[in-house]
Amino acid sequence: MGLQGVRAVFFDLDNTLVDTAAAGRRAIEEVINILQSKHHCDEGEAHMICDKVQEKLLKECHDPAKVCITDLRISHWEEAIQETKGGEANRNLAAECYFLWKTTRLQHLTLTEDTRSMLTELRKIVRLLLLTNGDKQTQREKIEACACQPYFDAIVVGGEQKEEKPAPSIFHHCCDLLGVQPWDCVMVGDSLDTDIQGGLNAGLKATVWINKTMTMPVNTSPVPHYIISSVLDLPALLQNMDHKMNANLETDKMVSINDVHDSANIESKKC
């Protein structure tokens, strides 16, 4: 038997189920080390190159019809190296840095044992779907690296769809895949702009924001239905939601019974 009123849970991937930020930091550390030890960059230059790359990643606008993600990201490194060190562009060094960064990041993307157990138990009572934005190749590589496929009934990558989160269409596509309605579903993710806003746009039953620091922005917008500090807190939250729904149902039943009794008393007085 599923939870009262909840038939499916949609999970974001990055920084929700796996700590992509931490894996990225480890990858940057490896690149800094190789730039210093092998390519004779001083510490300041190495850090500056990596900082520039991370800025470019944040601003990245990728059209897969025009350029593959590998070429684009090698170009990020190439530009960052040239902007920092000057001289001729060094495509070979850029490619070395990119592939080291990418490989190291993937190696450190792991689905923890606690998260695996949580998903396994939760899937016994509701359907689970992984919904992640991003380039098709990049996200599929992450999914493969953390081996999360067996824990989900379906996986949807934004880069493979016409629209990504927060567009309602991708959420409705997820509902169609699972054979459920939006009001049957809960969205869980760390991004207010994509996960929470998207869930609200699509009319889902509830949105759950993963806020690891539990420090609230001055103006939180959009407003999630629930906030937890870890995805591992989700089962307890869902159970609490279930109990509240059952309590409301019991209250409604009591109101209905009282209405019937009141009606009967009115009728007897009329007689």
Side-chain angles (χ1 to χ4, degrees):
M1 181 181 294
L3 295 167
Q4 182 70 39
V6 177
R7 296 181 60 198
V9 179
F10 302 164
F11 286 93
D12 174 51
L13 177 64
D14 295 302
N15 301 310
T16 296
L17 289 175
V18 295
D19 196 343
T20 309
R25 289 191 294 271
R26 294 290 296 272
I28 288 294
E29 288 172 6
E30 288 296 315
V31 177
I32 288 172
N33 288 337
I34 203 74
L35 284 171
Q36 290 182 259
S37 63
K38 182 179 176 182
H39 297 287
H40 312 297
C41 289
D42 62 39
E43 185 177 359
E45 285 179 330
H47 279 276
M48 188 176 294
I49 289 168
C50 291
D51 287 346
K52 286 179 178 292
V53 168
Q54 291 182 92
E55 289 175 11
K56 293 175 189 295
L57 288 170
L58 288 173
K59 298 174 183 177
E60 184 174 83
C61 185
H62 175 229
D63 182 353
K66 294 181 179 178
V67 61
C68 76
I69 194 69
T70 298
D71 287 341
L72 177 62
R73 291 188 169 173
I74 290 175
S75 293
H76 292 336
W77 285 96
E78 186 176 17
E79 291 166 7
I81 292 166
Q82 191 171 22
E83 289 166 7
T84 302
K85 295 177 67 66
E88 295 295 319
N90 190 335
R91 190 75 175 177
N92 290 336
L93 175 57
E96 182 181 350
C97 290
Y98 166 69
F99 285 112
L100 176 60
W101 170 81
K102 173 184 170 179
T103 303
T104 305
R105 187 171 73 148
L106 289 174
Q107 286 173 346
H108 288 92
L109 278 182
T110 58
L111 204 61
T112 67
E113 194 58 44
D114 286 344
T115 302
R116 292 173 187 270
S117 297
M118 183 271 292
L119 293 172
T120 299
E121 292 304 309
L122 197 56
R123 197 177 176 198
K124 293 176 182 179
I125 54 174
V126 293
R127 306 200 75 189
L128 303 184
L129 181 142
L130 183 66
L131 174 56
T132 176
N133 273 3
D135 169 71
K136 172 184 176 179
Q137 176 185 324
T138 301
Q139 295 309 102
R140 287 291 175 183
E141 286 173 345
K142 290 178 186 174
I143 290 164
E144 186 72 27
C146 67
C148 64
Q149 304 97 315
Y151 300 93
F152 294 95
D153 296 289
I155 293 175
V156 176
V157 175
E160 298 172 353
Q161 305 299 317
K162 291 181 180 178
E163 296 181 294
E164 294 190 307
K165 299 179 287 186
S169 63
I170 194 168
F171 289 88
H172 295 158
H173 172 65
C174 293
C175 292
D176 291 342
L177 286 177
L178 298 185
V180 296
Q181 297 298 325
W183 52 85
D184 297 325
C185 305
V186 174
M187 178 68 211
V188 183
D190 71 300
S191 171
L192 289 172
D193 293 336
T194 58
D195 301 316
I196 304 308
Q197 187 64 65
L200 295 172
N201 290 346
L204 300 194
K205 183 178 191 66
T207 55
V208 181
W209 183 34
I210 307 293
N211 180 4
K212 294 179 182 179
T213 63
M214 291 305 282
T215 55
M216 297 300 294
V218 176
N219 295 309
T220 302
S221 179
V223 179
H225 293 94
Y226 303 96
I227 303 173
I228 54 180
S229 62
S230 166
V231 73
L232 299 177
D233 297 332
L234 182 67
L237 172 63
L238 292 174
Q239 287 294 339
N240 191 43
M241 287 170 56
D242 191 30
H243 292 155
K244 285 182 179 179
M245 291 172 193
N246 285 330
N248 289 339
L249 284 174
E250 290 301 318
T251 301
D252 290 343
K253 286 179 184 176
M254 290 302 296
V255 170
S256 297
I257 291 170
N258 288 334
D259 287 345
V260 171
H261 288 165
D262 290 343
S263 297
N265 289 334
I266 291 169
E267 290 300 321
S268 63
K269 287 178 182 177
K270 284 181 181 179
C271 293

